[in-house]
Amino acid sequence: MAVEAVRIEAVQPYADPRYEMVRGTAGFAVDPAHPANARIIDLALAPRGGDGLVRFDSDLRILRPTGTGSRNLLLLVPNRGMIGGLPFSTGLTPDYTDFEKVSPGDGFLLDRGWTVVWCGWQWDILRGPGQLGLTAPEAAVEPGAMRLEWRGDIAEKEHPLADSMPGLGGLFRFAEYPTADVADPAAVLTVRTAPDAEPVEIPRSAWRFTDPTHIALDGGFEPFRWYRLVYRTSRAPVAGCGLLAIRDLVAHLRAGGFEHTFAYGISQSGRFLRQFLWEGMNLDESGRQVFDGVFADRAGAHRGEFNHRYAQPSVTQVDGFGTLPPFDSASLLARQRALGGMPKIVQVNTAAEYWRGDTALAHIDADTGADLPEDPDVRMYAVAGTDHLPPMGAMKGIFPAANPPHDLDMTPVLRALLVALEQWVRGRSGPPDSRVPRVGDGTAVPRATALGRFAHAHRPDPGALAVPRHLDLGPEADRGIGRWPARLGAPYPALVSSVDEDGNEIAGIHLPAVAAPLAVYTGWNPRRPTPGLPDVVYERLGSRVDFPPGRPSAAERWPTVAAYRTAVAAAADRLVAARLLLPQDRTAVVAAAVAEFRSAVG
């Protein structure tokens, strides 16, 4: 049956009068015995109705044209439940007082007549205005072991038994996995001083469960330490129902007359799309293709905690089910390709995802480190020098980083690649060639090699960088049941772009501001020095540092505004010729770079 009902709660005018916003929920009913649902962990253990079907529901938003649209549907996978502004737009003005408000920005998607859809997929979202979640069924299982990991930027007296993100001031809160026994003597708490440091066990007498959903430590939890708790919980939501919700809602809407359907996900939700394809979800229960095109933005080579017992969908940069192989495109897509329904796929990553350690694994052999052939249905792009976060102005300054951050904006490149993906799906033209670091041409190197160019700047300790490793999650991992903590094996190769004499990255797409640089732009930034702790990378943030001693300054390279404008215009023209910048965006991109030059050089 799949979608059982779509319940419309409100149809409201939108900021752009050509559109209206639909608010509602979608109800689903799925057959756990159907082969199309066989990959969903614990679905067979969920409660069933009298007809044998498992039911759940999710929040729904649809931004649709009031007149004739383009018959293109874009499903935006919510990142941690948030709707946010419309992607691919410039001039976004998010309203943090009203999460239901969706900023249209410059209306890039709306000018093209796209219908935009959001569907809640994450069971642990605390649902509220602008935060879309899913009511997952819970599997009938005995209490079992799980692990919880966190790192905070501030001290805490106690911590909830839920995922949390550092540096965001409690903006994101998630549902807890309660302990099955507040007196559990077998629960283990450890602490590390760096992502790959050896964990030290904290005596059981020094910490306690203050109630079923909170833990406290004598003296409190210190900032910039990595804590891991392994304990037993009795709650087992069927997290994989989020995959079914996305699949079945889009299949249902597509039957209403859309010609082409696309998915876009950024960061966590981009990893969700990789999981979606790994599980072979791009065919519905009737065998119909769901998405024609998939755009995974800043997802790296990982998947996530989206389909196993005791999954925490929001968790990031934690060893577990989401960091298991396969990583490369051919292996990741093997199941979907065998089933049929292969979409065209664009994957874009910033330099920060490469510096995280895993992203090169998407296009190199995880055992030998050699370049892999390009998959015919996938194009991959690295954007040189960029970091994981969008332009945030002064807000980036709140993070405890050692170097000044930068605000490089790769939105114009994303717009061009969305247009290229649509043309590829329609069979009008192939996409631009992939642009990633390659071992064969010397543009992919170990992180320590690239850091050798930065003796003049704050840089992380190479020994404190997170290293992706082979994992052993125990004998029941194939059934979605992990053994914690994960047993770590040999490291995988961790490669990044090589850098030029200035320190700017050689591989990937070069924004005009990087092609004609005023400084050095990196995808890494060390945490501010902290006594007693190693210099680790602060997650997701890049650096803007001076050129090395002996290299020409920006003013020496371009003594006048006119000279700089000529340089960035030439860089923009190269991107337009390569179909990596839309002609209509050229003027604004050049103007923004020139404005930065005036500000920096005078």
Side-chain angles (χ1 to χ4, degrees):
M1 183 179 294
V3 174
E4 192 169 39
V6 174
R7 296 175 285 274
I8 305 301
E9 298 168 359
V11 178
Q12 300 168 319
Y14 184 59
D16 186 319
R18 298 172 296 175
Y19 276 75
E20 61 187 10
M21 179 68 80
V22 178
R23 299 175 61 248
T25 59
F28 302 89
V30 297
D31 180 0
H34 195 291
N37 305 326
R39 294 284 304 173
I40 303 303
I41 299 299
D42 287 342
L43 185 63
L45 302 178
R48 308 187 192 194
D51 54 4
L53 303 181
V54 174
R55 288 176 167 79
F56 52 95
D57 64 68
S58 66
D59 299 315
L60 172 66
R61 301 291 185 271
I62 302 175
L63 186 60
R64 67 188 183 190
T66 54
T68 302
S70 67
R71 296 179 64 203
N72 275 350
L73 181 148
L74 179 63
L75 185 285
L76 301 181
V77 183
N79 188 319
R80 293 173 175 83
M82 303 295 289
I83 300 177
L86 289 180
F88 307 103
S89 295
T90 59
L92 291 175
T93 54
D95 186 346
Y96 294 107
T97 66
D98 184 359
F99 290 139
E100 278 287 346
K101 189 177 292 183
V102 179
S103 173
D106 69 348
F108 180 79
L109 293 171
L110 310 183
D111 291 343
R112 287 157 178 77
W114 288 63
T115 295
V116 183
V117 177
W118 297 260
C119 176
W121 61 271
Q122 194 172 330
W123 76 266
D124 58 348
I125 294 297
L126 301 178
R127 294 155 85 170
Q131 293 186 288
L132 310 187
L134 175 140
T135 303
E138 302 218 2
V141 299
E142 293 296 318
M146 69 161 293
R147 65 87 177 85
L148 180 73
E149 294 198 30
W150 73 95
R151 180 193 68 70
D153 285 354
I154 59 174
E156 290 183 299
K157 291 183 177 180
E158 67 175 19
H159 190 81
L161 300 185
D163 183 49
S164 60
M165 296 182 66
L168 295 171
L171 177 62
F172 295 105
R173 295 178 57 242
F174 306 100
E176 299 93 351
Y177 273 110
T179 179
D181 179 5
V182 294
D184 186 357
V188 175
L189 179 66
T190 61
V191 62
R192 309 189 305 279
T193 57
D196 271 16
E198 191 68 24
V200 175
E201 185 171 344
I202 298 173
R204 185 65 176 85
S205 59
W207 66 271
R208 65 207 55 83
F209 295 106
T210 57
D211 61 38
T213 58
H214 291 83
I215 180 177
L217 172 66
D218 290 348
F221 297 102
E222 297 183 81
F224 308 136
R225 273 77 170 174
W226 281 257
Y227 292 94
R228 176 193 294 143
L229 174 67
V230 177
Y231 67 108
R232 293 168 66 251
T233 186
S234 56
R235 188 176 190 186
V238 184
C241 285
L243 298 164
L244 299 179
I246 296 294
R247 181 196 72 184
D248 291 344
L249 177 69
V250 174
H252 174 79
L253 294 175
R254 180 166 195 164
F258 288 100
E259 183 179 5
H260 292 296
T261 52
F262 298 79
Y264 172 77
I266 181 171
S267 189
Q268 176 221 30
S269 49
R271 292 185 290 112
F272 175 92
L273 291 174
R274 286 176 57 84
Q275 184 92 29
F276 185 90
L277 296 170
W278 155 245
E279 304 287 6
M281 288 287 132
N282 207 39
L283 294 174
D284 69 4
E285 289 183 354
S286 300
R288 296 170 298 187
Q289 184 164 333
V290 179
F291 293 114
D292 301 311
V294 170
F295 197 126
D297 184 2
R298 283 164 261 195
H302 285 159
R303 302 192 302 278
E305 296 212 351
F306 309 136
N307 186 29
H308 68 267
R309 188 174 296 177
Y310 312 131
Q312 303 166 85
S314 291
V315 79
T316 184
Q317 292 177 244
V318 168
D319 292 325
F321 281 93
T323 56
L324 290 173
F327 309 111
D328 67 276
S329 296
S331 301
L332 182 83
L333 300 171
R335 180 179 293 108
Q336 191 68 69
R337 188 164 275 131
L339 292 169
M342 267 297 301
K344 302 301 184 185
I345 302 164
V346 162
Q347 296 187 148
V348 180
N349 286 289
T350 72
E353 283 79 61
Y354 279 87
W355 277 88
R356 191 175 66 195
D358 62 281
T359 300
L361 296 173
H363 50 81
I364 65 172
D365 187 289
D367 294 319
T368 67
D371 295 323
L372 291 173
E374 185 147 88
D375 188 283
D377 296 307
V378 182
R379 294 295 181 273
M380 292 189 221
Y381 308 93
V383 186
T386 51
D387 70 19
H388 190 79
L389 301 173
M392 299 170 68
M395 286 187 65
K396 283 190 175 181
I398 69 173
F399 297 112
N403 295 321
H406 61 65
D407 246 354
L408 293 177
D409 185 3
M410 65 182 197
T411 302
V413 168
L414 299 180
R415 288 152 75 112
L417 290 174
L418 178 66
V419 171
L421 177 61
E422 182 190 8
Q423 292 174 342
W424 192 13
V425 164
R426 292 182 177 275
R428 293 175 179 171
S429 60
D433 292 338
S434 293
R435 293 197 182 191
V436 295
R438 298 287 189 190
V439 175
D441 63 12
T443 60
V445 298
R447 290 174 291 184
T449 301
L451 285 173
R453 291 280 187 185
F454 291 91
H456 65 296
H458 292 290
R459 54 184 172 175
D461 177 356
L465 295 170
V467 178
R469 295 181 180 276
H470 289 78
L471 297 180
D472 178 1
L473 296 183
E476 296 186 283
D478 288 344
R479 296 178 50 228
I481 303 172
R483 179 180 60 197
W484 307 106
R487 295 181 181 176
L488 302 180
Y492 292 111
L495 303 179
V496 299
S497 172
S498 58
V499 299
D500 61 21
E501 292 184 346
D502 291 333
N504 280 308
E505 294 187 329
I506 294 173
I509 298 170
H510 289 76
L511 299 170
V514 176
L518 303 178
V520 182
Y521 305 95
T522 78
W524 53 264
N525 199 328
R527 187 189 60 224
R528 190 177 301 139
T530 304
L533 296 178
D535 292 329
V536 300
V537 167
Y538 191 81
E539 300 92 337
R540 298 176 283 275
L541 200 62
S543 299
R544 186 187 192 277
V545 299
D546 293 334
F547 294 120
R551 297 293 298 161
S553 68
E556 291 171 328
R557 298 171 194 227
W558 300 286
T560 66
V561 172
Y564 188 72
R565 181 181 290 110
T566 298
V568 293
D573 288 338
R574 291 192 294 271
L575 290 180
V576 171
R579 296 169 54 223
L580 296 169
L581 179 67
L582 298 175
Q584 60 265 38
D585 286 338
R586 176 191 179 277
T587 299
V589 167
V590 171
V594 170
E596 176 69 16
F597 177 84
R598 291 183 187 274
S599 174
V601 178

